[in-house]
Amino acid sequence: MTQPTDILREPAERQFASQLAALAQHDPDSPPSSWKLSPRSVLAYVVGTPKPLVLTVNGKSVTVPITRKFFGDDAIVERAIVTLASERALLLVGEPGTGKSWLSEHLAAAISGCSTLTIQGTAGTTEDQIKYGWNVARVIANGPTPDNLIPSPTMIAMRTGALVRFEEITRCVPDVQDALVSILSDKHIAVPELPDANMVFARPGFNIIATANSRDQGVNEMSAALKRRFNYIHIPVVGDQKTEIAIVRERSKELLERYHIPGRIEEPVLDVLATVFREMRSGTGADGQTFAKPSTPLSTAEAIGVALDAAIHARYFGSGAVGVADIARNLVGSVVKDDLADLAVLREYLSVVAKKRALKDPTWKAFHDAATKAVASAS
Amino acid sequence: MEGVPRRGDQGRRQRVVTELPDIADVQARADRVLADELYWFPVRHHSPAVARHLQAAIRARRPKLVLIEGPAHASELIRHVVDSKTRPPIALYSSYRDDDNVLGLAGVASPAPDIPARFPVWYPLLAYSPEYVAMVEAAALGAAAVFIDLPAHALIDPKSWADADDEPRTRETSWEDIAVETTFYRTMARVAGYRSWDEAWDALFEIGHRHADHEAFRRDLAYFCGAVRATTPAARLERDGTLPRERFMARAIAAELAARGLAASEAMVVCGGFHIFLDRADPVAPPPTPAGTCLATVVPYSYFRVSELAGYGAANRAPRYYQAVWDHRGDQVAGRSGPPPGSVAEGQVAGRDWVDEPWIGAMVDHVTAVLGRGRKDGERLSSADAIAVTQHARLLASLRGRPAPILDDLRDALVSCCVKGRPEEEGHGLLKAMTATEVGSAVGRVTPALGRLPILHDFHAQLDDLELGEVMGRDQRLLLTLDLREDQGARRSAFLHRLRRLEVELGTLEGGATGDGTRLFREKWRLAWTPQVEPQLIERNHYGDTVEAAALARLEEDVAKAQRHAGETARLLRDAVTMQLPHVVRKLAGAVAAAIDEDRRFASQAEALVHLLVLDRMAIQRDLGRDAIAELAARAYTRACLAIGEVVGVPPEQQEPTLAHLKALAEAALSDTQDRALFTAQVRVAAAAATLPFMQGALAGILTELREVTPEELAQRVAAFAASPPARMVLAGEFLDGAFAVSKTSLLLGADALIAAIDELLRAAPWEDFLVLLPRVRHAFERLHERQRLAFADRVAGRYGVGEEARLDELPSTSAAAAVYLASLDARVAAIMKDWTF
């Protein structure tokens, strides 16, 4: 259902437009003010439905499967949706690569039909980027007027009753973070420079979805006042192998389509990839052996990255079919980032776990041999 | 199951139809039961909704007889249950003792073949337990109420004890245990997205929106139970006792009706939802009840005991929370139409009378209680949080297709709104407050008309007799000093020791981590009443009817468990003496003797010796036969001496307790009551075999203390390290540490020689080795008492020509810089030693 376009990465509301339209046509409830879908349909959009829906466009009917976007406990999504319908803002916290931004984007797409009102939190983020700025040249020429004001994504979201996404909020310095306190309490932004139109009030439906990396939480601890205005929802690392394989399968399929790479990654290859990531992450093999854990968080997103890199490699430098050897070659870069000691960790895993399996299983043998070679050349 | 609320995408999820029961058949079967002349009301234990509808049904039907699922032999107790002075939580308590071992489980289900097996069973009743409500309503109507269930001990299967797992299998299986295993329930839970049985139950039956009245509720529950039963294998029902119980119930119902000359329409049956489908024509006879002693009574119970945390089978996940739901049941009487304000579902179920008020009232009570408790524990939680939680819970309930929040929604809302991070870390305090508030701490009360459970009666009588009554029911500590030479002091001590043996938390004995203070004439107890005291006594009731009898039975059980462990058995003998159980002392003495003869472990024998020596000291005051104890002590001493060889290879973490045992043995050897030569010889053998410097030092120290080795000889051994290669030299600290650990007085006698040896050692040590050596040497000296250290310091000062009047900072040969350096060195050594464990 995803059509190739000239845009490298379409926002969710465009990529999944037909799913959103189908859900809107079949919505059993009335959406809250300014929401495009009711909470139940938002939930259905994020967790998928077993049966496809029929979408009627210009009198023509097409069947649209509603795919699962978020793999994990549905209660997390329910809590997130309910938070966005309440007085409080939503903060998704978790390890890197657990799908916080992904969930945030889909929630904004389903609720507001727009996931691009986004502020990227960095150490250089300023209060202007959260509230508003001015076209300086025009202010010099004409003084401050509403036309010379540059609204932030927050201000646009307030005017339209939409959701604004604030990525990596804890990367911002506390003073800048605190600009949100009054926005979340009073639901308006004061513009003292404009005497006649000095208030921008939020329309119903306005809210904020922020994300924070739990490893970075201490970088810029949020103030107690701001914390109080957020409901925190912790996104755990994927709980089981089956779910992780499903995530890697779905996401890599989408990415392969985006990069116009034909073919798919076969199930045994996905199984090896997910197994390696899960075992290395926990430091325990399925057979009970223990080994050192790498310093990098081996998230599901990282596994997807390995799968995609392997597919691109196979497409341009191999036979086109993605084998475990392709996965093995790309694994080194994922596991060993800034700490060369992780190379020894990977070597240990290959010797303790993979080698044993390689004796019985040809897929694991191919993986072991290729990964061992890759580790040797990286040393 | 029309209108079953589903979470999330209502109605769009695919139904799984395989392995599901024939709905028409289930419905027809249930309809036949529902249309029966005898009125059957299916129940789930501890369900406010069932209790509410059952109450309405009884009031509407006004039966003359109410037949209730409860142990038939306890029907006499119903009048005490409904007594106005009885207040739940309570439990029907039944204890069966197989006096003549007819089940053949003595020694299997009991600690020893000569101890009869006991099987206690509790049937908890909360204010909202349907069975309790049925009894109360029947009493209010003047109707008779009787129990119709098979006594639990009739279900004891001796064969099942062959692979026993310690748990007496006397509790009947609840139909809920069976329900969660059925394909019907599993399929429904998967389709509707229920995460647990409790969530499914609350969504289907507790929230009142699907049932207009008690008849609609009864019908729906009957269909549900019918479907559960239709997907349960018959073998499972036979195995878990369901069918034998139903055979008994069918006969009991018929017998009660016949005996009272009542028509079936004049009675009603209140039983587990499963049992309304019992086969009334089943020709198989129920199992007979085994002969023995059976005690049944009503006892106070607690929310904690009925909660899942206590491991009770048909547990209630949140007794206090559901009590709030029950307490708010009157809220719906005011009634109003329309969904709760602010609900996302507003307008969806227009025209239906909402009956969700109990849940809203309970929600507000619960949330404020959780946050209040959290605040008390230091959590930052405000009223704004309470508002956010209730709003969040309502919206979640609405999203999940419920008219009001159930406990699962409240839990999710509390975590969403109040936990700022990972629930198991940042939310730890709140989760604790949630659990505590859900469970509650209420303890019930039983009418005085019944009389207390004998053990409780005895407990209170003794408290009065010993003038300890003031400690009960007061939330404050009482410090009690007992003089054991006085009669009351001795009796109080025995009473408190007996409670300690029964693990009843009324008092703790001051003095040492183990609280076993070896004081002969004086004991200090810290007494504090907790709500657990009575429930704990109730739980120990099966040991005996008095505190003394129960303590004795418990002691016998512990002795049976401690078989062949000399130390443990001797400790129990000592406990028997402190508990003043003289008639068991002789029996225990035999057990101790057998254990001493069989046990080959040094630590165990030395431990036994310590206990026996204490007992020997107590013997005069306690009027015990000293000869028997002395004989046991001598045997333990001999065995311990013969096992000294073990200490040579003791791992570092066991070194300190081993030294304590060696010192105890040395003390006994020096007392001249034991064979000193045997000990000396064994220590010499061990010292020759020891390879670890610490144990070498310790054994050499003991020999010095025994005057078998002179301090000068010991000093020579220290000095020998000075002449050793560096690898050996650095071990001198460990040797000294071991020696100082066991010998102090004797070393002081030869202090000059020892100081000379240490001096020689320190002079010989190169700088790097000195640094390695120093901390352990320092640790050795820190084992000494301050006065002993000063005595050593004086000798050192004398050796270097410093008089008494001189001070360290005035040492003529020490510059200020050197003094500063020494001080910094000392601080560094202290810092290093902080991380050391010896």
Side-chain angles (χ1 to χ4, degrees):
Chain A
M1 54 167 281
T2 309
Q3 302 300 319
T5 67
D6 288 338
I7 299 171
L8 176 59
R9 186 184 182 281
E10 290 192 306
E13 60 273 20
R14 285 183 63 169
Q15 195 185 348
F16 298 96
S18 51
Q19 293 190 22
L20 290 166
L23 282 161
Q25 283 185 7
H26 292 271
D27 204 331
D29 303 334
S30 316
S33 192
S34 297
W35 282 36
K36 303 290 181 198
L37 296 173
S38 71
R40 265 182 211 164
S41 292
V42 174
L43 179 68
Y45 168 76
V46 178
V47 303
T49 59
K51 279 184 180 174
L53 299 182
V54 175
L55 171 66
T56 308
V57 183
N58 298 328
K60 285 185 182 173
S61 296
V62 284
T63 303
V64 180
I66 309 297
T67 54
R68 182 176 265 272
K69 321 291 182 308
F70 177 79
F71 293 82
D73 187 358
D74 290 358
I76 288 175
V77 185
E78 290 171 345
R79 287 164 52 202
I81 295 168
V82 161
T83 296
L84 292 170
S86 75
E87 285 291 303
R88 291 194 177 185
L90 171 65
L91 178 62
L92 300 171
V93 287
E95 289 281 298
T98 44
K100 301 179 293 293
S101 300
W102 176 251
L103 178 59
S104 152
E105 179 184 352
H106 282 288
L107 286 171
I111 291 171
S112 304
C114 173
S115 62
T116 52
L117 292 172
T118 307
I119 301 166
Q120 181 63 48
T122 68
T125 304
T126 61
E127 195 170 332
D128 291 3
Q129 289 163 286
I130 294 175
K131 289 184 168 176
Y132 60 89
W134 294 100
N135 183 329
V136 180
R138 290 175 66 173
V139 169
I140 291 168
N142 307 324
T145 68
D147 290 344
N148 298 346
L149 183 143
I150 303 170
S152 68
T154 319
M155 188 174 268
I156 297 169
M158 289 173 86
R159 283 176 174 159
T160 55
L163 295 179
V164 61
R165 297 172 53 210
F166 202 136
E167 291 290 297
E168 303 289 356
I169 191 168
T170 47
R171 307 293 300 174
C172 299
V173 295
D175 292 357
V176 174
Q177 288 178 14
D178 282 346
L180 286 173
V181 174
S182 65
I183 293 173
L184 289 173
S185 309
D186 306 333
K187 313 285 186 195
H188 67 236
I189 294 177
V191 190
E193 297 92 333
L194 297 175
D196 300 329
N198 58 5
M199 291 297 257
V200 175
F201 293 100
R203 287 188 58 192
F206 164 73
N207 210 333
I208 296 177
I209 312 177
T211 60
N213 178 339
S214 51
R215 294 203 174 203
D216 287 345
Q217 270 210 81
V219 173
N220 287 307
E221 178 82 18
M222 282 167 71
S223 67
L226 191 56
K227 275 185 179 174
R228 227 164 48 71
R229 286 162 175 84
F230 277 100
N231 277 357
Y232 283 48
I233 299 212
H234 180 254
I235 313 283
V237 174
V238 175
D240 64 289
Q241 171 133 347
K242 207 171 138 195
T243 309
E244 186 152 28
I245 289 178
I247 298 172
V248 177
R249 187 198 301 120
E250 291 300 315
R251 291 283 295 124
S252 56
K253 183 171 158 247
E254 280 172 32
L255 291 168
L256 292 180
E257 284 172 4
R258 186 189 297 169
Y259 286 88
H260 310 303
I261 294 171
R264 56 195 283 265
I265 305 171
E266 297 300 330
E267 212 58 20
V269 178
L270 283 176
D271 190 60
V272 169
L273 176 62
T275 305
V276 171
F277 265 70
R278 287 182 58 72
E279 289 181 335
M280 292 206 69
R281 194 187 293 142
S282 65
T284 312
D287 315 324
Q289 315 94 317
T290 54
F291 41 85
K293 287 192 273 187
S295 60
T296 43
L298 290 175
S299 64
T300 309
E302 198 69 51
I304 295 165
V306 170
L308 182 67
D309 289 350
I312 293 172
H313 191 274
R315 164 72 179 80
Y316 296 111
F317 301 105
S319 64
V322 183
V324 281
D326 299 304
I327 295 288
R329 272 190 291 275
N330 285 283
L331 187 68
V332 178
S334 262
V335 176
V336 187
K337 288 194 190 298
D338 48 2
D339 187 354
L340 278 179
D342 288 339
L343 204 58
V345 174
L346 182 56
R347 198 179 293 123
E348 186 187 354
Y349 174 77
L350 292 172
S351 316
V352 174
V353 181
K355 193 174 180 181
K356 203 172 158 192
R357 283 188 201 139
L359 296 174
K360 295 178 187 165
D361 187 334
T363 312
W364 276 92
K365 180 166 175 20
F367 169 78
H368 171 262
D369 294 350
T372 307
K373 207 171 151 190
V375 168
S377 59
S379 300
Chain B
M1 302 304 297
E2 282 301 311
V4 169
R6 291 179 184 83
R7 292 173 50 180
D9 182 23
Q10 251 187 334
R12 289 198 196 125
R13 297 191 186 202
Q14 199 165 19
R15 275 178 175 278
V16 180
V17 291
T18 52
E19 298 181 68
L20 285 181
D22 180 339
I23 298 296
D25 186 51
V26 167
Q27 195 166 340
R29 206 162 163 223
D31 284 339
R32 279 200 296 279
V33 175
L34 295 170
D36 192 2
E37 204 182 345
L38 182 61
Y39 187 84
W40 297 80
F41 202 101
V43 303
R44 181 198 183 198
H45 298 310
H46 320 310
S47 157
V50 175
R52 200 173 66 236
H53 288 298
L54 175 63
Q55 189 179 49
I58 295 174
R59 288 178 183 181
R61 291 190 66 84
R62 305 185 65 81
K64 289 184 178 163
L65 173 64
V66 182
L67 301 144
I68 301 165
E69 183 188 322
H73 64 293
S75 286
E76 267 302 301
L77 297 170
I78 292 177
R79 64 196 168 94
H80 298 300
V81 170
V82 301
D83 190 293
S84 61
K85 289 185 178 144
T86 296
R87 191 188 63 199
I90 52 171
L92 295 169
Y93 172 79
S94 175
S95 168
Y96 165 70
R97 194 175 63 214
D98 185 3
D99 299 318
D100 301 323
N101 198 22
V102 292
L103 297 173
L105 291 174
V108 180
S110 72
D114 57 342
I115 301 173
R118 299 158 196 266
F119 302 92
V121 188
W122 281 264
Y123 301 86
L125 293 169
L126 302 172
Y128 48 91
S129 297
E131 297 88 343
Y132 175 75
V133 170
M135 288 181 239
V136 171
E137 290 296 319
L141 284 176
V146 289
F147 291 140
I148 53 168
D149 201 358
L150 182 65
H153 53 276
L155 285 172
I156 298 167
D157 176 13
K159 276 182 284 180
S160 73
W161 284 83
D163 51 0
D165 51 9
D166 291 338
E167 282 298 313
R169 271 158 282 175
T170 51
R171 185 185 69 80
E172 70 273 20
T173 308
S174 159
W175 71 268
E176 300 148 44
D177 299 335
I178 300 171
V180 293
E181 294 172 11
T182 61
T183 49
F184 166 69
Y185 166 72
R186 287 182 178 178
T187 307
M188 187 188 67
R190 192 168 61 244
V191 170
Y194 298 133
R195 287 176 291 179
S196 68
W197 159 252
D198 285 310
E199 183 186 359
W201 172 268
D202 283 4
L204 292 171
F205 294 105
E206 289 295 336
I207 290 277
H209 69 297
R210 294 194 311 119
H211 308 109
D213 58 20
H214 63 270
E215 283 306 329
F217 182 87
R218 183 173 83 110
R219 186 173 55 247
D220 206 20
L221 184 51
Y223 289 167
F224 181 86
C225 293
V228 168
R229 184 147 185 158
T231 50
T232 304
R236 170 85 165 88
L237 298 180
E238 185 71 53
R239 195 175 65 244
D240 66 25
T242 299
L243 295 181
R245 288 174 58 207
E246 290 183 347
R247 287 167 194 142
F248 184 92
M249 282 194 245
R251 282 163 179 74
I253 292 167
E256 285 292 341
L257 289 173
R260 292 165 196 268
L262 291 174
S265 60
E266 293 176 294
M268 66 187 285
V269 181
V270 176
C271 62
F274 226 59
H275 305 308
I276 64 169
F277 299 100
L278 61 81
D279 179 2
R280 275 168 272 180
D282 190 340
V284 181
T289 47
T293 305
C294 192
L295 164 82
T297 188
V298 186
V299 294
Y301 217 56
S302 67
Y303 278 161
F304 179 80
R305 297 300 311 164
V306 89
S307 73
E308 288 168 340
L309 296 179
Y312 160 53
N316 182 314
R317 63 173 169 165
R320 183 185 181 277
Y321 169 73
Y322 288 105
Q323 179 70 48
V325 174
W326 174 248
D327 290 343
H328 281 278
R329 68 192 181 283
D331 294 2
Q332 64 179 310
V333 174
R336 61 174 174 77
S337 291
S343 163
V344 171
E346 193 163 7
Q348 284 173 27
V349 201
R352 175 173 285 168
D353 284 338
W354 285 76
V355 286
D356 56 3
E357 292 302 334
W359 293 84
I360 301 300
M363 172 180 74
V364 174
D365 281 1
H366 184 68
V367 169
T368 47
V370 170
L371 298 196
R373 190 175 180 109
R375 273 195 292 270
K376 224 183 242 178
D377 295 344
E379 298 285 315
R380 284 186 194 168
L381 299 162
S382 65
S383 301
D385 289 318
I387 295 165
V389 171
T390 52
Q391 185 199 20
H392 195 96
R394 280 176 170 227
L395 292 171
L396 262 184
S398 178
L399 181 62
R400 292 167 175 174
R402 299 167 189 149
I406 62 171
L407 185 59
D408 303 85
D409 305 326
L410 280 179
R411 287 173 173 175
D412 281 346
L414 280 160
V415 171
S416 291
C417 299
C418 303
V419 175
K420 307 298 178 191
R422 198 187 292 263
E424 55 275 19
E425 288 172 12
E426 287 86 348
H428 178 71
L430 184 82
L431 294 182
K432 231 173 90 184
M434 282 165 66
T435 305
T437 311
E438 286 174 10
V439 173
S441 58
V443 178
R445 197 172 58 209
V446 175
T447 173
L450 175 69
R452 286 187 173 120
L453 195 66
I455 193 169
L456 275 178
H457 187 271
D458 178 64
F459 171 74
H460 284 283
Q462 291 208 52
L463 279 181
D464 291 342
D465 183 39
L466 298 171
E467 296 174 13
L468 292 172
E470 64 172 312
V471 75
M472 289 303 288
R474 285 174 57 177
D475 195 14
Q476 65 181 53
R477 289 170 184 277
L478 182 71
L479 195 63
L480 199 65
T481 304
L482 303 179
D483 186 337
L484 305 185
R485 290 166 296 190
E486 291 172 2
D487 178 56
Q488 196 191 42
R491 290 196 303 123
R492 281 176 162 184
S493 164
F495 176 65
L496 293 170
H497 276 290
R498 287 169 189 172
L499 291 176
R500 218 158 78 105
R501 168 64 41 192
L502 290 171
E503 294 172 74
V504 174
E505 297 161 7
L506 185 72
T508 46
L509 181 57
E510 300 277 293
T514 55
D516 64 349
T518 51
R519 297 172 192 83
L520 287 180
F521 303 122
R522 204 169 286 275
E523 283 179 353
K524 267 190 185 175
W525 288 84
R526 195 170 286 278
L527 305 186
W529 174 84
T530 71
Q532 292 301 315
V533 169
E534 289 207 3
Q536 283 168 348
L537 275 165
I538 291 162
E539 286 183 26
R540 312 295 185 266
N541 172 69
H542 61 282
Y543 283 111
D545 292 343
T546 63
V547 172
E548 180 180 348
L552 177 62
R554 179 63 186 261
L555 186 70
E556 285 175 336
E557 186 178 309
D558 291 341
V559 171
K561 283 182 189 165
Q563 268 180 348
R564 296 194 186 87
H565 193 294
E568 186 61 20
T569 319
R571 189 177 64 80
L572 291 168
L573 174 62
R574 187 175 145 189
D575 287 352
V577 173
T578 56
M579 287 192 286
Q580 292 188 17
L581 300 172
H583 43 294
V584 81
V585 168
R586 181 185 294 273
K587 189 176 167 186
L588 265 173
V592 175
I596 287 173
D597 288 346
E598 286 185 34
D599 203 337
R600 295 283 178 270
R601 292 165 290 190
F602 169 75
S604 176
Q605 294 287 4
E607 198 184 319
L609 177 68
V610 171
H611 291 306
L612 290 165
L613 291 177
V614 173
L615 266 177
D616 186 49
R617 292 211 298 273
M618 293 162 93
I620 304 166
Q621 181 226 337
R622 308 259 181 167
D623 199 20
L624 297 170
R626 279 194 78 183
D627 292 349
I629 292 169
E631 157 66 16
L632 287 174
R635 278 158 85 165
Y637 173 83
T638 306
R639 296 278 178 194
C641 287
L642 293 173
I644 282 177
E646 259 184 42
V647 307
V648 171
V650 72
E653 67 274 12
Q654 288 294 316
Q655 284 175 347
E656 294 293 339
T658 303
L659 291 192
H661 289 143
L662 278 173
K663 280 196 280 185
L665 234 63
E667 201 178 311
L670 285 169
S671 71
D672 288 337
T673 55
Q674 308 294 350
D675 182 354
R676 182 169 164 172
L678 174 67
F679 179 67
T680 310
Q682 290 299 113
V683 172
R684 278 190 181 281
V685 171
T691 52
L692 299 173
F694 181 80
M695 286 312 294
Q696 284 175 337
L699 292 165
I702 283 182
L703 290 171
T704 314
E705 204 69 6
L706 291 169
R707 311 280 193 275
E708 296 293 325
V709 168
T710 62
E712 288 72 22
E713 284 173 308
L714 186 81
Q716 278 172 18
R717 292 196 62 180
V718 176
F721 280 94
S724 304
R728 172 80 183 152
M729 185 193 291
V730 294
L731 298 174
E734 290 182 35
F735 181 89
L736 269 177
D737 197 16
F740 277 34
V742 294
S743 172
K744 294 178 180 73
T745 316
S746 302
L747 289 182
L748 275 174
L749 295 175
D752 287 334
L754 197 59
I755 286 165
I758 294 171
D759 199 24
E760 190 179 342
L761 178 73
L762 298 181
R763 283 172 187 277
W767 177 247
E768 291 304 321
D769 296 333
F770 170 74
L771 289 180
V772 176
L773 196 60
L774 187 60
R776 205 68 194 247
V777 173
R778 177 172 165 166
H779 187 261
F781 276 96
E782 286 194 350
R783 287 184 185 272
L784 300 178
H785 188 273
E786 194 182 350
R787 272 176 307 182
Q788 293 168 329
R789 272 204 301 272
L790 285 174
F792 264 100
D794 285 345
R795 304 289 178 92
V796 173
R799 183 178 172 82
Y800 283 92
V802 181
E804 273 187 21
E805 70 285 359
R807 290 177 46 180
L808 185 65
D809 53 2
E810 293 166 353
L811 285 177
S813 59
T814 307
S815 67
V820 169
Y821 183 68
L822 278 174
S824 73
L825 197 63
D826 190 59
R828 275 174 60 197
V829 170
I832 292 166
M833 287 185 65
K834 260 188 189 172
D835 299 331
W836 282 37
T837 49
F838 293 102

